[in-house]
Amino acid sequence: IKEKIQNLDQLILNAMGFEAEFIIRKEIGFPGESIRSELILTNPTDLPVQNFSFAVADAQFPLDRAVQSNNASTLPINFTLSEIADYSQPYWLEKPIDGALYQVRNPTQIGDPFNQPFVAGNLSFQIDSESFSLDLPLMYKYNDQVDGEVKQPFVIVPEVDLELSSNQVFLVGGADPTLTVTVNFRDKFLEGDLYFEGISQDQFRVLSVEDIPSQKKRVFKVAFLPNGEGKKNLTATFATPEGKVYNLITKRISYKHIPNLTYFTPATIGLIQADWKLSGSKIGYIPGAGDDVPGILSSLGYQVTMIGEGDYSVDYLSQFKTIIVGIRAYNTNSDLANNQQAIMGYVRSGGNVIVQYNTSSPLLTSQLGPFPFTIGRDRVTVEGSPVVGEWSHPILTSPNQVTEEDFAGWVQERGLYFAEKIDPNYQTPLTMQDPDENASSGSLIVGKYGEGTYVYTGISFFRQLPAGVPGAIKLFVNLIEQ
């Protein structure tokens, strides 16, 4: 009944053309901030709307006038956000993701495309002695030169948030052990210290601190010290003397066809210390559909150069120890497909090429490697499924020994679009399979061609490397170092 009454009330207001807006001239606020907003009321009819009262954040704002005859009334609404106001985190991200599953605290929210408004007021009024009530979300309103009047939800963010120069730091010979942490202040600079949850204060050094007043930023450069092999997950944290702790990164998704979405992730870093052998050589990277592998390789100490149009002469390519082809490049990069002979000439002359997965259709060239193979539909979706390897194969022993233990802790999947109908000139050192499915040896194929080496792999390195999976990174280093 309550819902039907609300619908009838809204029908009456719509028929009258009555409008009420609760608006602000900025999109973002933080807990404890003083907010300056407006309530705008418009009634195009001669029937007076009166006895207004507006409530928001425990404050009441009466309006002792009637609104009628298309005369808009504007009431300043100044209030303060609670010091403990919730951030505008999407409900499906309030709790940590469990693998690939979102944990929703309130099951009644499941299916809602967006959160309920984080800041809203209640407007009550009378029309011809009948009482009405409207809940009004606070909206950021502005005029766009192309789209005209635009409204976006007002969101609450931390007063202080962080940015990281990298999500992975490697304590490996030749790698850069430093990290830049930028602390952003929404209001004024706050005194405080930076530390990392997961390690003690004596396991890193602050190399420099720089304030940038014009941008309200404080930039810390830190260096991590050796602290034992393996991977540690750290959280960068800025703490004030008053005990306030800030450790979130603010992220935004903005498209014209949906409301802007603001969300927050912990400022986590994967710190990996390992006794890996790697050369730090020059690597050429041919972009495909887009991935984050080049950044990880740079963090490992490799000198990564993106290869573009006009870079496909054998002389130019010969400067690189290895050329890596990004995911789906043969589906999307026509420059690569048109210069396939140059890539094969580079391999024949002693180069090393690693081709990451492509889909089987559409391919811009039918000959991906020096010897025939096709791209099938095989994939292994269980990230912890067993892997059988020829552990004495050079790919798995040089320069670092890869073992079955290196396939633990992978994320989301093993790989996809494995090779099929593989020419005998290729070797297949790994066999993978999902439970109760047929085994596939097409996840990694290796072939010698002339003086060089060619690799096609459907292994999901584009997922594993950004996630900081040590075993996958070690295997990829071996592929580079052939």
Side-chain angles (χ1 to χ4, degrees):
I1 294 176
K2 181 179 179 181
E3 182 178 352
K4 291 184 181 298
I5 292 175
Q6 290 175 340
N7 291 339
L8 284 172
D9 286 350
Q10 190 61 57
L11 182 63
I12 293 170
L13 298 177
N14 289 346
M16 290 178 59
F18 176 81
E19 291 186 358
E21 295 180 293
F22 182 27
I23 63 171
I24 190 170
R25 302 304 177 182
K26 66 174 194 171
E27 190 175 2
I28 291 173
F30 58 86
E33 183 180 5
S34 296
I35 299 297
R36 300 173 64 87
S37 59
E38 294 178 324
L39 177 66
I40 301 177
L41 306 172
T42 305
N43 173 21
T45 72
D46 294 329
L47 184 66
V49 182
Q50 54 195 356
N51 297 331
F52 288 98
S53 179
F54 186 70
V56 61
D58 298 325
Q60 293 283 341
F61 300 88
L63 179 62
D64 56 354
R65 75 188 74 158
V67 177
Q68 63 188 107
S69 303
N70 212 29
N71 292 318
S73 289
T74 300
L75 177 67
I77 304 293
N78 300 327
F79 63 98
T80 301
L81 292 174
S82 168
E83 291 280 356
I84 57 173
D86 290 332
Y87 303 144
S88 299
Q89 180 80 306
Y91 70 85
W92 58 92
L93 295 178
E94 289 178 355
K95 299 182 72 175
I97 299 173
D98 181 13
L101 297 177
Y102 296 94
Q103 303 182 73
V104 179
R105 184 167 46 193
N106 180 359
T108 63
Q109 292 179 301
I110 295 175
D112 291 343
F114 305 105
N115 287 68
Q116 294 299 312
F118 282 87
V119 180
N122 180 262
L123 177 68
S124 61
F125 52 92
Q126 288 186 325
I127 303 174
D128 197 21
S129 75
E130 291 292 331
S131 296
F132 293 80
S133 177
L134 290 177
D135 290 327
L136 301 177
L138 181 58
M139 303 293 289
Y140 166 50
K141 181 179 178 181
Y142 66 98
N143 286 316
D144 182 270
Q145 291 183 342
V146 175
D147 298 321
E149 184 178 284
V150 179
K151 292 181 182 178
Q152 293 287 353
F154 178 78
V155 295
I156 303 175
V157 304
E159 181 180 2
V160 178
D161 63 17
L162 279 62
E163 296 175 38
L164 304 175
S165 60
S166 177
N167 293 323
Q168 309 292 336
V169 177
F170 297 93
L171 300 181
V172 178
D176 182 1
T178 65
L179 175 75
T180 299
V181 181
T182 302
V183 181
N184 302 302
F185 300 93
R186 294 284 173 188
D187 187 16
K188 59 187 177 182
F189 280 93
L190 302 178
E191 293 300 319
D193 296 312
L194 180 71
Y195 68 91
F196 294 89
E197 296 180 17
I199 58 174
S200 59
Q201 294 277 4
D202 62 356
Q203 291 180 328
F204 70 94
R205 288 187 295 116
V206 177
L207 302 179
S208 64
V209 182
E210 178 188 5
D211 282 349
I212 308 176
S214 62
Q215 301 177 30
K216 295 184 180 180
K217 295 178 181 290
R218 180 170 297 150
V219 181
F220 293 84
K221 186 172 184 179
V222 302
F224 294 98
L225 306 175
N227 53 61
E229 287 201 8
K231 179 180 180 181
K232 295 182 174 68
N233 290 314
L234 316 179
T235 302
T237 303
F238 181 77
T240 69
E242 296 77 24
K244 291 185 177 180
V245 172
Y246 302 98
N247 57 13
L248 295 177
I249 298 172
T250 300
K251 298 184 177 181
R252 308 263 292 160
I253 297 174
S254 180
Y255 293 100
K256 288 188 175 183
H257 65 286
I258 59 173
N260 292 344
L261 183 68
T262 301
Y263 68 103
F264 313 96
T265 59
T268 55
I269 308 106
L271 180 63
I272 298 175
Q273 181 173 340
D275 186 23
W276 297 336
K277 299 178 180 66
L278 52 86
S279 64
S281 301
K282 296 181 71 173
I283 291 175
Y285 204 93
I286 301 175
D291 58 71
D292 297 324
V293 172
I296 300 298
L297 300 181
S298 295
S299 296
L300 281 165
Y302 288 107
Q303 305 166 58
V304 181
T305 299
M306 304 305 288
I307 295 176
E309 183 180 4
D311 294 336
Y312 286 94
S313 70
V314 175
D315 286 343
Y316 179 82
L317 299 178
S318 64
Q319 67 179 300
F320 302 114
K321 174 179 178 56
T322 297
I323 292 175
I324 301 170
V325 180
I327 61 170
R328 303 200 301 279
Y330 283 103
N331 301 124
T332 61
N333 190 330
S334 57
D335 289 330
L336 167 63
N338 293 337
N339 288 279
Q340 182 67 359
Q341 287 187 341
I343 298 296
M344 293 300 102
Y346 163 81
V347 178
R348 188 171 53 248
S349 300
N352 180 31
V353 165
I354 303 167
V355 177
Q356 299 179 81
Y357 93 91
N358 287 262
T359 60
S360 53
S361 179
L363 284 170
L364 301 178
T365 178
S366 59
Q367 188 70 26
L368 272 61
F371 314 111
F373 70 92
T374 61
I375 298 174
R377 304 286 293 180
D378 283 349
R379 62 175 62 202
V380 174
T381 60
V382 178
E383 63 269 26
S385 58
V387 176
V388 177
E390 297 177 24
W391 306 118
S392 60
H393 190 282
I395 283 284
L396 304 179
T397 60
S398 177
N400 306 290
Q401 179 64 59
V402 175
T403 67
E404 189 174 357
E405 287 73 25
D406 288 310
F407 291 88
W410 286 41
V411 297
Q412 191 160 336
E413 62 188 355
R414 292 288 190 202
L416 66 171
Y417 292 103
F418 292 173
E420 293 181 347
K421 300 178 182 178
I422 301 167
D423 188 274
N425 284 295
Y426 292 110
Q427 299 167 2
T428 56
L430 295 175
T431 300
M432 300 181 177
Q433 69 181 111
D434 272 328
D436 302 320
E437 298 288 344
N438 295 328
S440 172
S441 59
S443 64
L444 178 66
I445 65 173
V446 185
K448 292 293 182 181
Y449 180 58
E451 300 296 321
T453 304
Y454 175 91
V455 169
Y456 172 83
T457 178
I459 294 174
S460 296
F461 289 112
F462 72 99
R463 298 194 195 280
Q464 312 306 325
L465 270 62
V469 178
I473 297 170
K474 184 204 290 189
L475 175 57
F476 205 77
V477 166
N478 276 16
L479 298 182
I480 291 172
E481 297 295 339
Q482 295 304 302

